Amino acid sequence: MSVISVPQAFNEDELYVDLRSIFGYPLFLKCEGFNFAGSIKLKAAAEMVAAADRDGALTCGSILVESSSGNLGVALSMIAASKGYRFVCVTDSRCNLSTRLLMEALGSEVHTITEPDPAGGFLGARLDYVRALCASDDRYVWLSQYTNPGNWRAHYRTTAPAIARQFPQLDVLFIGAGTTGTLMGCAHWFRDWHRPVHIVAVDSLGSVTFGGSPGRRMIPGLGASVRPPLLDESLVDEVVHVEETDTVRACHRLARRGFLFGGSTGTVVSAATSWLARHDADRLTAVAIAPDLGERYLDTIYQANWIEAIYGKGVLRDDADVPVQTGRQTAV
Ligand SMILES: Cc1ncc(COP(=O)(O)O)c(C=O)c1O
Protein backbone atom coordinates (compact mmCIF):
# COMPACT_ATOMS: atom_id res chain seq x y z
CA MET A 1 0.00 0.00 0.00
CA SER A 2 1.18 3.54 -0.74
CA VAL A 3 -0.19 6.36 1.41
CA ILE A 4 0.69 9.91 0.43
CA SER A 5 -0.22 13.40 1.56
CA VAL A 6 1.15 15.44 -1.37
CA PRO A 7 0.52 14.44 -5.02
CA GLN A 8 4.19 14.61 -6.07
CA ALA A 9 5.03 11.86 -3.56
CA PHE A 10 3.70 9.11 -5.85
CA ASN A 11 5.37 7.94 -9.05
CA GLU A 12 5.36 4.50 -10.67
CA ASP A 13 8.97 3.92 -11.74
CA GLU A 14 8.98 0.15 -12.27
CA LEU A 15 6.47 -0.46 -15.06
CA TYR A 16 7.58 -1.69 -18.52
CA VAL A 17 5.63 -2.93 -21.55
CA ASP A 18 7.24 -5.71 -23.58
CA LEU A 19 6.62 -4.61 -27.18
CA ARG A 20 7.79 -7.81 -28.89
CA SER A 21 4.29 -9.10 -29.62
CA ILE A 22 3.24 -5.74 -31.13
CA PHE A 23 6.30 -4.71 -33.14
CA GLY A 24 8.23 -7.97 -33.46
CA TYR A 25 11.38 -6.66 -31.74
CA PRO A 26 12.63 -7.17 -28.19
CA LEU A 27 11.97 -3.72 -26.73
CA PHE A 28 10.91 -2.79 -23.22
CA LEU A 29 8.97 0.44 -22.89
CA LYS A 30 9.41 2.23 -19.56
CA CYS A 31 6.10 3.89 -18.70
CA GLU A 32 6.52 7.28 -17.05
CA GLY A 33 2.91 8.45 -17.20
CA PHE A 34 1.63 6.87 -13.99
CA ASN A 35 1.69 9.70 -11.48
CA PHE A 36 -0.73 12.54 -10.62
CA ALA A 37 0.83 14.84 -13.24
CA GLY A 38 0.54 12.13 -15.90
CA SER A 39 4.06 12.43 -17.26
CA ILE A 40 7.80 12.15 -16.81
CA LYS A 41 7.98 15.91 -16.29
CA LEU A 42 6.88 15.43 -12.67
CA LYS A 43 10.45 14.40 -11.88
CA ALA A 44 12.05 17.54 -13.36
CA ALA A 45 9.37 19.80 -11.84
CA ALA A 46 9.78 18.31 -8.35
CA GLU A 47 13.57 18.54 -8.51
CA MET A 48 13.61 22.16 -9.76
CA VAL A 49 11.04 23.39 -7.22
CA ALA A 50 12.82 21.58 -4.36
CA ALA A 51 16.12 23.24 -5.37
CA ALA A 52 14.48 26.69 -5.58
CA ASP A 53 12.90 26.11 -2.14
CA ARG A 54 16.28 25.05 -0.72
CA ASP A 55 18.10 28.03 -2.23
CA GLY A 56 15.56 30.48 -0.83
CA ALA A 57 14.52 31.63 -4.33
CA LEU A 58 10.87 30.95 -3.46
CA THR A 59 9.06 32.91 -0.76
CA CYS A 60 5.36 32.96 0.13
CA GLY A 61 4.67 35.82 -2.35
CA SER A 62 6.53 34.19 -5.25
CA ILE A 63 4.84 33.48 -8.57
CA LEU A 64 6.36 30.58 -10.44
CA VAL A 65 6.57 31.09 -14.20
CA GLU A 66 7.67 28.63 -16.87
CA SER A 67 7.57 28.09 -20.59
CA SER A 68 6.12 24.65 -21.31
CA SER A 69 4.52 22.79 -24.18
CA GLY A 70 2.22 21.29 -21.57
CA ASN A 71 3.49 18.47 -19.43
CA LEU A 72 5.93 20.44 -17.31
CA GLY A 73 3.20 23.02 -16.93
CA VAL A 74 0.80 20.39 -15.57
CA ALA A 75 3.44 19.05 -13.19
CA LEU A 76 4.28 22.55 -11.93
CA SER A 77 0.58 23.38 -11.60
CA MET A 78 0.17 20.35 -9.38
CA ILE A 79 3.22 21.09 -7.24
CA ALA A 80 2.41 24.81 -7.00
CA ALA A 81 -1.13 23.97 -5.84
CA SER A 82 0.21 21.51 -3.30
CA LYS A 83 2.75 24.02 -1.93
CA GLY A 84 0.51 27.10 -2.10
CA TYR A 85 2.40 29.01 -4.82
CA ARG A 86 0.85 30.82 -7.79
CA PHE A 87 1.97 29.53 -11.20
CA VAL A 88 1.85 31.11 -14.66
CA CYS A 89 2.46 28.78 -17.60
CA VAL A 90 3.53 30.29 -20.93
CA THR A 91 2.65 27.91 -23.72
CA ASP A 92 1.82 28.16 -27.43
CA SER A 93 -1.05 27.31 -29.73
CA ARG A 94 0.20 23.70 -30.16
CA CYS A 95 -0.60 22.96 -26.50
CA ASN A 96 -3.51 20.49 -26.33
CA LEU A 97 -6.80 21.90 -25.09
CA SER A 98 -7.08 19.23 -22.40
CA THR A 99 -3.61 20.09 -21.09
CA ARG A 100 -4.50 23.77 -20.82
CA LEU A 101 -7.77 22.92 -19.05
CA LEU A 102 -5.88 20.66 -16.64
CA MET A 103 -3.51 23.46 -15.67
CA GLU A 104 -6.42 25.84 -15.15
CA ALA A 105 -8.27 23.23 -13.08
CA LEU A 106 -5.23 23.08 -10.82
CA GLY A 107 -5.44 26.85 -10.31
CA SER A 108 -2.74 28.04 -12.74
CA GLU A 109 -2.87 30.92 -15.19
CA VAL A 110 -2.10 29.94 -18.80
CA HIS A 111 -0.76 32.45 -21.34
CA THR A 112 -0.84 31.12 -24.92
CA ILE A 113 1.56 32.51 -27.54
CA THR A 114 -0.04 32.41 -30.97
CA GLU A 115 2.71 33.91 -33.17
CA PRO A 116 6.12 32.23 -33.54
CA ASP A 117 9.26 34.38 -33.44
CA PRO A 118 10.66 34.67 -37.02
CA ALA A 119 14.08 33.37 -35.88
CA GLY A 120 13.41 31.29 -32.72
CA GLY A 121 9.98 29.83 -33.58
CA PHE A 122 7.35 29.31 -30.87
CA LEU A 123 9.97 28.49 -28.25
CA GLY A 124 11.85 31.73 -28.90
CA ALA A 125 8.60 33.69 -28.64
CA ARG A 126 7.65 31.91 -25.38
CA LEU A 127 11.03 32.60 -23.80
CA ASP A 128 10.87 36.30 -24.78
CA TYR A 129 7.46 36.52 -23.14
CA VAL A 130 8.73 34.92 -19.90
CA ARG A 131 11.72 37.30 -19.82
CA ALA A 132 9.36 40.28 -20.22
CA LEU A 133 7.12 39.01 -17.37
CA CYS A 134 10.12 38.57 -15.05
CA ALA A 135 11.37 42.07 -15.92
CA SER A 136 7.92 43.50 -15.11
CA ASP A 137 7.64 42.18 -11.51
CA ASP A 138 10.27 40.69 -9.21
CA ARG A 139 7.80 38.29 -7.60
CA TYR A 140 8.16 36.08 -10.70
CA VAL A 141 10.53 33.14 -10.29
CA TRP A 142 11.47 31.46 -13.58
CA LEU A 143 12.68 27.89 -13.11
CA SER A 144 13.97 27.83 -16.71
CA GLN A 145 13.75 24.13 -17.55
CA TYR A 146 16.00 24.65 -20.60
CA THR A 147 18.95 25.72 -18.46
CA ASN A 148 18.16 24.43 -14.93
CA PRO A 149 20.54 21.57 -13.97
CA GLY A 150 17.77 20.17 -11.74
CA ASN A 151 16.04 19.12 -14.98
CA TRP A 152 18.72 16.55 -15.92
CA ARG A 153 19.71 15.77 -12.32
CA ALA A 154 16.21 14.43 -11.65
CA HIS A 155 16.83 11.69 -14.23
CA TYR A 156 20.40 11.08 -13.07
CA ARG A 157 19.00 10.44 -9.57
CA THR A 158 15.88 8.46 -10.52
CA THR A 159 15.18 7.39 -14.12
CA ALA A 160 18.58 5.96 -15.09
CA PRO A 161 19.25 3.98 -11.88
CA ALA A 162 15.66 2.66 -11.99
CA ILE A 163 16.32 1.27 -15.51
CA ALA A 164 19.71 -0.16 -14.51
CA ARG A 165 18.14 -1.97 -11.53
CA GLN A 166 15.68 -3.79 -13.80
CA PHE A 167 18.02 -4.29 -16.79
CA PRO A 168 21.54 -4.98 -15.56
CA GLN A 169 22.39 -6.25 -19.07
CA LEU A 170 21.10 -3.15 -20.86
CA ASP A 171 22.73 -2.57 -24.27
CA VAL A 172 20.77 0.26 -25.85
CA LEU A 173 18.53 3.00 -24.48
CA PHE A 174 16.21 5.14 -26.66
CA ILE A 175 15.38 8.55 -25.20
CA GLY A 176 13.34 11.37 -26.73
CA ALA A 177 14.85 14.86 -26.69
CA GLY A 178 12.81 17.92 -25.77
CA THR A 179 14.71 20.08 -23.29
CA THR A 180 17.13 17.08 -23.26
CA GLY A 181 16.77 16.80 -19.47
CA THR A 182 15.83 13.10 -19.63
CA LEU A 183 18.47 12.41 -22.27
CA MET A 184 21.28 14.19 -20.42
CA GLY A 185 20.42 12.75 -16.99
CA CYS A 186 20.34 9.18 -18.32
CA ALA A 187 23.35 9.63 -20.62
CA HIS A 188 25.48 11.06 -17.78
CA TRP A 189 24.48 8.24 -15.45
CA PHE A 190 25.14 5.42 -17.94
CA ARG A 191 28.46 7.03 -18.95
CA ASP A 192 29.50 6.49 -15.30
CA TRP A 193 28.10 2.92 -15.16
CA HIS A 194 30.17 -0.27 -15.11
CA ARG A 195 29.32 -1.31 -18.70
CA PRO A 196 28.76 0.61 -21.95
CA VAL A 197 25.20 1.44 -22.98
CA HIS A 198 24.52 2.79 -26.47
CA ILE A 199 22.54 6.02 -25.99
CA VAL A 200 20.21 6.78 -28.89
CA ALA A 201 18.62 10.23 -28.85
CA VAL A 202 15.26 10.46 -30.62
CA ASP A 203 14.16 13.74 -32.17
CA SER A 204 11.38 14.78 -34.50
CA LEU A 205 12.14 15.85 -38.03
CA GLY A 206 12.07 19.64 -38.24
CA SER A 207 13.71 20.08 -34.83
CA VAL A 208 17.04 21.94 -34.72
CA THR A 209 18.30 20.26 -31.52
CA PHE A 210 20.98 18.21 -33.30
CA GLY A 211 21.39 20.56 -36.28
CA GLY A 212 19.36 20.29 -39.45
CA SER A 213 16.84 22.73 -40.82
CA PRO A 214 13.77 23.83 -38.91
CA GLY A 215 10.44 22.50 -40.14
CA ARG A 216 6.83 22.29 -39.11
CA ARG A 217 6.23 20.15 -36.00
CA MET A 218 2.70 19.73 -34.67
CA ILE A 219 3.19 17.17 -31.88
CA PRO A 220 4.34 18.66 -28.57
CA GLY A 221 6.99 17.10 -26.33
CA LEU A 222 9.99 16.35 -28.50
CA GLY A 223 12.07 18.65 -30.64
CA ALA A 224 13.01 22.30 -30.30
CA SER A 225 13.21 25.36 -32.49
CA VAL A 226 16.22 26.62 -30.48
CA ARG A 227 19.16 24.36 -29.56
CA PRO A 228 18.65 23.24 -25.91
CA PRO A 229 21.44 24.64 -23.70
CA LEU A 230 21.52 21.47 -21.53
CA LEU A 231 22.56 19.31 -24.49
CA ASP A 232 26.07 17.83 -24.45
CA GLU A 233 26.29 15.86 -27.70
CA SER A 234 29.45 14.07 -26.59
CA LEU A 235 27.24 11.93 -24.28
CA VAL A 236 24.99 10.81 -27.18
CA ASP A 237 26.06 7.88 -29.38
CA GLU A 238 23.49 8.26 -32.11
CA VAL A 239 20.54 10.41 -33.13
CA VAL A 240 17.44 9.15 -34.95
CA HIS A 241 15.01 11.63 -36.49
CA VAL A 242 11.38 10.60 -36.97
CA GLU A 243 8.71 12.01 -39.26
CA GLU A 244 5.49 12.93 -37.50
CA THR A 245 3.50 10.61 -39.77
CA ASP A 246 5.58 7.70 -38.39
CA THR A 247 4.88 8.96 -34.87
CA VAL A 248 1.14 8.87 -35.56
CA ARG A 249 1.38 5.36 -37.06
CA ALA A 250 3.28 4.01 -34.06
CA CYS A 251 0.77 5.57 -31.64
CA HIS A 252 -2.14 3.97 -33.49
CA ARG A 253 -0.41 0.61 -33.67
CA LEU A 254 0.00 0.66 -29.88
CA ALA A 255 -3.59 1.85 -29.41
CA ARG A 256 -4.88 -1.03 -31.56
CA ARG A 257 -3.40 -3.30 -28.88
CA GLY A 258 -4.91 -1.35 -26.00
CA PHE A 259 -1.94 0.85 -25.09
CA LEU A 260 -2.86 4.52 -25.43
CA PHE A 261 0.39 6.49 -25.26
CA GLY A 262 1.29 10.10 -26.03
CA GLY A 263 2.90 11.41 -29.19
CA SER A 264 6.50 11.37 -28.04
CA THR A 265 6.14 7.69 -27.13
CA GLY A 266 5.09 6.99 -30.73
CA THR A 267 8.17 8.89 -31.91
CA VAL A 268 10.53 6.99 -29.61
CA VAL A 269 8.98 3.61 -30.42
CA SER A 270 9.12 4.32 -34.15
CA ALA A 271 12.82 5.25 -33.88
CA ALA A 272 13.61 2.25 -31.69
CA THR A 273 11.90 -0.32 -33.90
CA SER A 274 13.51 1.04 -37.07
CA TRP A 275 16.91 1.03 -35.31
CA LEU A 276 16.38 -2.55 -34.06
CA ALA A 277 15.40 -3.62 -37.59
CA ARG A 278 18.87 -2.51 -38.76
CA HIS A 279 20.75 -4.25 -35.91
CA ASP A 280 21.08 -7.71 -34.40
CA ALA A 281 18.02 -7.10 -32.24
CA ASP A 282 17.67 -10.58 -30.72
CA ARG A 283 21.09 -10.32 -29.08
CA LEU A 284 20.36 -6.92 -27.53
CA THR A 285 18.60 -5.74 -24.39
CA ALA A 286 16.80 -2.56 -25.43
CA VAL A 287 14.72 -0.09 -23.43
CA ALA A 288 12.80 2.99 -24.62
CA ILE A 289 11.24 5.65 -22.42
CA ALA A 290 7.52 6.51 -22.79
CA PRO A 291 7.09 10.04 -21.35
CA ASP A 292 3.28 10.16 -21.04
CA LEU A 293 -0.07 8.56 -21.90
CA GLY A 294 -2.51 9.21 -24.73
CA GLU A 295 -5.55 10.90 -23.19
CA ARG A 296 -4.12 14.40 -23.73
CA TYR A 297 -3.90 13.66 -27.47
CA LEU A 298 -7.45 12.42 -28.12
CA ASP A 299 -8.29 15.55 -30.15
CA THR A 300 -5.07 15.41 -32.20
CA ILE A 301 -3.09 12.20 -32.75
CA TYR A 302 -6.13 9.99 -32.10
CA GLN A 303 -8.55 12.09 -34.15
CA ALA A 304 -8.93 11.05 -37.81
CA ASN A 305 -9.99 14.55 -38.95
CA TRP A 306 -6.96 16.18 -37.30
CA ILE A 307 -4.60 13.66 -38.89
CA GLU A 308 -6.08 14.24 -42.33
CA ALA A 309 -6.08 18.04 -41.96
CA ILE A 310 -2.45 18.12 -40.88
CA TYR A 311 -0.82 15.30 -42.84
CA GLY A 312 -3.28 14.54 -45.63
CA LYS A 313 -5.02 11.28 -46.52
CA GLY A 314 -3.52 7.82 -46.22
CA VAL A 315 -1.30 8.26 -43.15
CA LEU A 316 -2.83 5.29 -41.37
CA ARG A 317 -2.41 2.90 -44.25
CA ASP A 318 -1.75 -0.46 -42.55
CA ASP A 319 -4.58 -2.43 -40.98
CA ALA A 320 -2.72 -2.30 -37.67
CA ASP A 321 -2.79 1.52 -37.68
CA VAL A 322 -6.32 2.22 -38.84
CA PRO A 323 -8.68 3.55 -36.16
CA VAL A 324 -11.90 1.63 -35.60
CA GLN A 325 -14.90 3.86 -36.36
CA THR A 326 -18.52 2.86 -35.87
CA GLY A 327 -17.51 -0.74 -35.34
CA ARG A 328 -15.50 -1.27 -38.53
CA GLN A 329 -12.04 -0.43 -39.72
CA THR A 330 -12.04 2.66 -41.91
CA ALA A 331 -9.16 4.06 -43.90
CA VAL A 332 -8.64 7.79 -43.40
C1 LIG B 1 5.35 14.24 -23.80
C2 LIG B 1 6.78 14.61 -23.64
N1 LIG B 1 7.70 13.82 -24.15
C3 LIG B 1 9.00 14.11 -24.08
C4 LIG B 1 9.45 15.24 -23.47
C5 LIG B 1 10.92 15.56 -23.47
O1 LIG B 1 11.55 15.42 -22.26
P1 LIG B 1 12.80 16.31 -21.94
O2 LIG B 1 12.33 17.71 -21.78
O3 LIG B 1 13.34 15.73 -20.66
O4 LIG B 1 13.78 16.19 -23.07
C6 LIG B 1 8.52 16.11 -22.93
C7 LIG B 1 8.95 17.35 -22.32
O5 LIG B 1 8.16 18.22 -22.02
C8 LIG B 1 7.15 15.78 -23.01
O6 LIG B 1 6.21 16.60 -22.51
Side-chain angles (χ1 to χ4, degrees), residues 72-149:
L72 181 74
V74 172
L76 285 173
S77 299
M78 191 187 90
I79 294 171
S82 147
K83 288 179 169 278
Y85 294 122
R86 283 173 63 193
F87 172 54
V88 173
C89 184
V90 179
T91 188
D92 63 58
S93 39
R94 294 169 305 175
C95 177
N96 301 324
L97 175 65
S98 56
T99 304
R100 183 163 64 74
L101 294 176
L102 254 174
M103 292 191 269
E104 288 171 348
L106 288 161
S108 301
E109 235 179 85
V110 182
H111 297 199
T112 305
I113 304 294
T114 51
E115 284 303 319
D117 178 82
F122 273 116
L123 179 56
R126 273 168 24 193
L127 296 180
D128 286 346
Y129 189 90
V130 171
R131 281 188 202 100
L133 271 185
C134 292
S136 73
D137 187 332
D138 57 14
R139 287 177 303 162
Y140 284 111
V141 174
W142 181 15
L143 293 172
S144 184
Q145 62 164 330
Y146 284 91
T147 55
N148 192 322

Side-chain angles (χ1 to χ4, degrees), residues 35-51:
N35 57 55
F36 281 95
S39 85
I40 195 167
K41 297 304 280 195
L42 173 61
K43 291 173 169 174
E47 186 92 11
M48 292 190 294
V49 173

